[in-house]
């Protein structure tokens, strides 16, 4: 888990995807690995893995509880998540 969180620190936790809430901000908020670790398992946090399917399926490193969504099809899945939730997008 520590190795995965260290890897996440080196990679952007949030991507500039055209989600309504992110598009309205000039810059998406960022979260440290420590902040994410404290929030994991919370009902108001959704962690979305936006890696390509091949990268995702061949990886041994995943954040427990994260859901995988296609980064090229944001329009089909963005609305299914609560707009009041903390949405964490990552690509590791």
């Amino acid at each position: 888990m520590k190795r995965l969180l260290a890897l996440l620190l080196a990679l952007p936790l949030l991507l500039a995807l055209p989600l309504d809430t992110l598009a309205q901000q000039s810059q998406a908020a960022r979260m440290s690995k420590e902040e994410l670790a404290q929030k994991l398992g919370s009902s108001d946090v959704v962690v979305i893995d936006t890696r390509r399917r091949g990268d995702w399926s061949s990886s041994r490193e995943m954040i427990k509880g994260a859901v995988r969504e296609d980064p090229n099809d944001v329009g089909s899945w963005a609305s299914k998540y609560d707009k009041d939730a903390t949405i964490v997008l990552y690509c590791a």
Side-chain angles (χ1 to χ4, degrees), residues 21-38:
T21 55
L22 293 179
Q24 294 174 3
Q25 297 179 3
S26 62
Q27 184 177 5
R30 301 213 176 247
M31 182 181 296
S32 71
K33 66 179 182 177
E34 293 83 12
E35 290 173 303
L36 178 59
Q38 289 177 2

Side-chain angles (χ1 to χ4, degrees), residues 40-77:
L40 286 177
S42 174
S43 62
D44 65 335
V45 174
V46 179
V47 180
I48 302 174
D49 187 326
T50 58
R51 290 179 284 179
R52 307 251 182 243
R53 182 170 299 282
D55 294 335
W56 175 79
S57 62
S58 65
S59 177
R60 293 182 297 158
E61 296 181 345
M62 298 180 184
I63 296 177
K64 186 175 182 175
V67 294
R68 190 212 164 260
E69 296 286 5
D70 184 346
N72 293 318
D73 200 17
V74 175
S76 72
W77 55 262

